[in-house]
Amino acid sequence: MLLAWLLIAPAAGGIVAWAIAPYGRQWARCVSLAAMLADLAIAITLWVAGGAVISIGPQGGWITQLWLPWIPSLGISFHLALDGLSLLMVLLTAILGVASVLISWRDINERVGFFHFNLLWSVAGALGVFLSLDLFLFFFMWELMLVPMYFLISIWGHENRTYAAIKFFIFTQASGLLMLVSILALVFVHHAATGVFTFDYFSLLGTPMSWWTSVWLMLGFFIAFIVKLPAFPFHVWLPDAHTEAPTAGSVILAGVLLKTGAYGLIRFVGPLFPDAAHWFAFVPMLLGVVGIIYGGFLAFAQTDFKRLVAYSSISHLGFVLLGIFAFNAIALQGAVMQMVAHGISTGALFMLVGVLQERLHTRDMREMGGLWQAMPRIGAITLFFVLASLGLPGLGNFVGEFLVLLGSWPVNLALTVVGACGLVISVIYSLAIMKRVFFGPRSGASVLADMGMRELTIMAPMIVILVLLGFYPQPLFDVLKPMLGGILQP
């Protein structure tokens, strides 16, 4: 039942926070924080139990599951299961969920209850995506996480929030519709071959189908997931959504919701359509490399700090796409490491942008400069996460990018070399952040508040996690190892 409680805690917490908000904003915040701390405690408990692997299907490495009948006549069940991949994503979601509640403690003062309702329900939907092994339930959770994020952007966002929210919703809903059509087509193809209606993941693995049927269905899933990742050229919704979202919304969007796209590629595209996915692999690898270079150049061209971080996400997630479709254990481990490290480092950078915007009332780096003397703690912590983002050895991001390049090298040398050039570009725009914001001539007010205890409390665990991932990534690899064979089997 722990898997069910992972979903119940944020969902119930969101409802209670909304209901209790009229009696005091602090009550809503405390309830929201308690719900996310409960999720984090459950996730840590599951991590401790991660060595107790059971076998519940064709793919190995499953730690626990929950199966309840839902609509038996249509083959739909409430089927949740946890393996190493989903465990890491659940942990990442819980950590960033707690951080998002804390970072919005003073930032959100209007409709506080409804804000926390949407924040927690978006988290609950993402957790459902990472745990669902019934494709109908997966689609339900996929849609569930999008609507609250739309409200977070459209109500508590910045100047162009309505435009950004509508753009986000159109892209994600169109991709979701494509995925629904592909799911239904796969179910009907399976029924035609076996006479059984089912949405169960394990039952649909190995469904007999013609070559071109597998190609078209694979493309439906693939496009739906890379829109959410997002990969070039489907990335155009991301900069606006990130720029206009409130800080907590940007953290959940970058650290969690984008990872659902990468998770879907790993969990569904390769295992459900192995031959078609391997045949098609060059295209996503090429898109990943294009995204690395393109996102890096656009990041360097930005003057809006938040928009720069948004474009850097496109570049860093290009490594994830490259690693997934290299289809070997080293590259896939690197892709998952990059997913985790990117979620932590980019989430922290968005929080730091929010901290600076709260004090300076601007995100324009041309209006900043010389802030290190006024805010040395913010400067030092920003430097750490900037160095993590550019892939400094000894931090988790370096391990992820290095393994992706190492694993993709024997698959496609040319794409690997071009992708490695993206590391140079990331150094340029990352160091440009420090120069523009914290060094150079001073501008603006001379008396500014440095980072307080609440903000330091949020940042400290994230720093520790990236250092641990950089110096001792083996526990992550140990958790992933049991599921690699099933995911990578052609």
Side-chain angles (χ1 to χ4, degrees):
M1 284 297 292
L2 284 178
L3 298 185
W5 281 109
L6 278 172
L7 306 183
I8 293 171
I15 293 172
V16 174
W18 191 7
I20 206 172
Y23 302 96
R25 296 172 180 174
Q26 291 297 96
W27 287 109
R29 294 169 179 141
C30 290
V31 168
S32 185
L33 179 60
M36 288 314 310
L37 287 172
D39 251 16
L40 181 59
I42 296 171
I44 293 173
T45 301
L46 291 168
W47 174 271
V48 173
V53 173
I54 63 174
S55 179
I56 61 173
Q59 295 181 338
W62 298 97
I63 298 166
T64 185
Q65 72 163 335
L66 173 67
W67 187 92
L68 298 170
W70 189 5
I71 313 175
S73 60
L74 296 179
I76 298 173
S77 61
F78 189 84
H79 189 186
L80 306 177
L82 187 83
D83 68 349
L85 175 61
S86 48
L87 174 57
L88 290 171
M89 295 298 101
V90 166
L91 267 169
L92 176 64
T93 303
I95 292 168
L96 293 179
V98 172
S100 297
V101 173
L102 288 173
I103 202 66
S104 59
W105 203 267
R106 294 190 309 184
D107 190 40
I108 302 298
N109 294 299
E110 296 181 2
R111 307 177 73 174
V112 174
F114 191 48
F115 171 84
H116 285 285
F117 170 82
N118 284 289
L119 181 65
L120 266 64
W121 273 68
S122 188
V123 168
L127 289 168
V129 166
F130 295 135
L131 296 173
S132 298
L133 283 188
D134 181 281
L135 267 66
F136 181 85
L137 179 63
F138 177 84
F139 175 76
F140 178 83
M141 294 295 180
W142 183 272
E143 295 298 298
L144 178 64
M145 68 182 175
L146 302 180
V147 177
M149 183 55 65
Y150 167 82
F151 284 121
L152 286 175
I153 298 171
S154 63
I155 297 177
W156 293 276
H158 303 297
E159 295 81 7
N160 295 319
R161 57 185 179 269
T162 302
Y163 167 77
I166 293 174
K167 192 174 183 179
F168 161 79
F169 199 72
I170 289 174
F171 271 84
T172 52
Q173 283 298 100
S175 65
L177 178 61
L178 180 60
M179 182 171 65
L180 176 61
V181 171
S182 301
I183 289 172
L184 293 175
L186 177 60
V187 169
F188 283 117
V189 168
H190 183 271
H191 177 262
T194 65
V196 177
F197 267 119
T198 182
F199 286 80
D200 184 73
Y201 174 71
F202 293 130
S203 299
L204 294 172
L205 289 172
T207 297
M209 66 184 78
S210 68
W211 167 253
W212 284 110
T213 299
S214 68
V215 169
W216 286 112
L217 292 181
M218 181 274 297
L219 285 174
F221 280 91
F222 172 76
I223 294 173
F225 293 136
I226 67 168
V227 169
K228 180 60 70 67
L229 185 61
F232 176 89
F234 302 101
H235 65 284
V236 294
W237 63 269
L238 179 67
D240 292 312
H242 269 318
T243 303
E244 302 305 328
T247 300
S250 293
V251 172
I252 295 300
L253 184 58
V256 179
L257 265 63
L258 302 189
K259 305 308 178 293
T260 61
Y263 174 85
L265 292 172
I266 298 172
R267 177 71 72 208
F268 296 102
V269 173
L272 288 174
F273 315 101
D275 294 333
H278 282 75
W279 169 78
F280 186 68
F282 174 78
V283 174
M285 291 180 72
L286 177 62
L287 293 178
V289 170
V290 172
I292 292 170
I293 304 300
Y294 177 78
F297 275 115
L298 286 182
F300 180 71
Q302 303 307 308
T303 56
D304 185 309
F305 195 170
K306 203 172 188 183
R307 204 169 183 88
L308 186 155
V309 178
Y311 275 112
S312 75
S313 288
I314 298 170
S315 181
H316 293 307
L317 291 173
F319 284 99
V320 174
L321 193 57
L322 179 64
I324 292 172
F325 283 89
F327 284 120
N328 61 61
I330 293 175
L332 183 57
Q333 287 175 325
V336 177
M337 173 64 83
Q338 179 73 349
M339 290 162 65
V340 175
H342 173 270
I344 297 293
S345 60
T346 303
L349 284 173
F350 276 121
M351 292 182 206
L352 289 164
V353 174
V355 168
L356 288 172
Q357 186 175 8
E358 179 186 6
R359 288 157 171 77
L360 304 173
H361 308 291
T362 182
R363 299 187 307 268
D364 193 333
M365 292 184 289
R366 294 169 298 184
E367 299 179 17
M368 302 181 187
L371 295 179
W372 189 285
Q373 291 182 345
M375 298 183 288
R377 289 196 292 269
I378 294 178
I381 292 173
T382 303
L383 177 61
F384 174 86
F385 287 110
V386 163
L387 293 175
S389 182
L390 64 81
L392 182 73
L395 300 176
N397 304 66
F398 169 78
V399 177
E401 292 171 354
F402 174 76
L403 290 178
V404 167
L405 294 173
L406 184 65
S408 62
W409 179 277
V411 179
N412 194 301
L413 176 58
L415 291 180
T416 303
V417 171
V418 177
C421 296
L423 298 176
V424 179
I425 300 173
S426 70
V427 171
I428 295 171
Y429 69 70
S430 296
L431 295 181
I433 292 174
M434 298 305 299
K435 181 179 182 300
R436 296 174 184 175
V437 176
F438 293 100
F439 299 104
R442 286 291 304 274
S443 61
S446 58
V447 180
L448 296 168
D450 205 352
M451 187 169 281
M453 281 305 300
R454 174 179 60 90
E455 294 151 337
L456 287 171
T457 301
I458 300 170
M459 295 296 168
M462 303 173 82
I463 292 172
V464 171
I465 290 170
L466 287 180
V467 173
L468 288 176
L469 289 176
F471 280 95
Y472 189 54
Q474 191 59 45
L476 182 145
F477 299 147
D478 290 340
V479 167
L480 284 177
K481 186 177 180 180
M483 50 75 67
L484 288 177
I487 294 292
L488 295 173
Q489 185 176 0

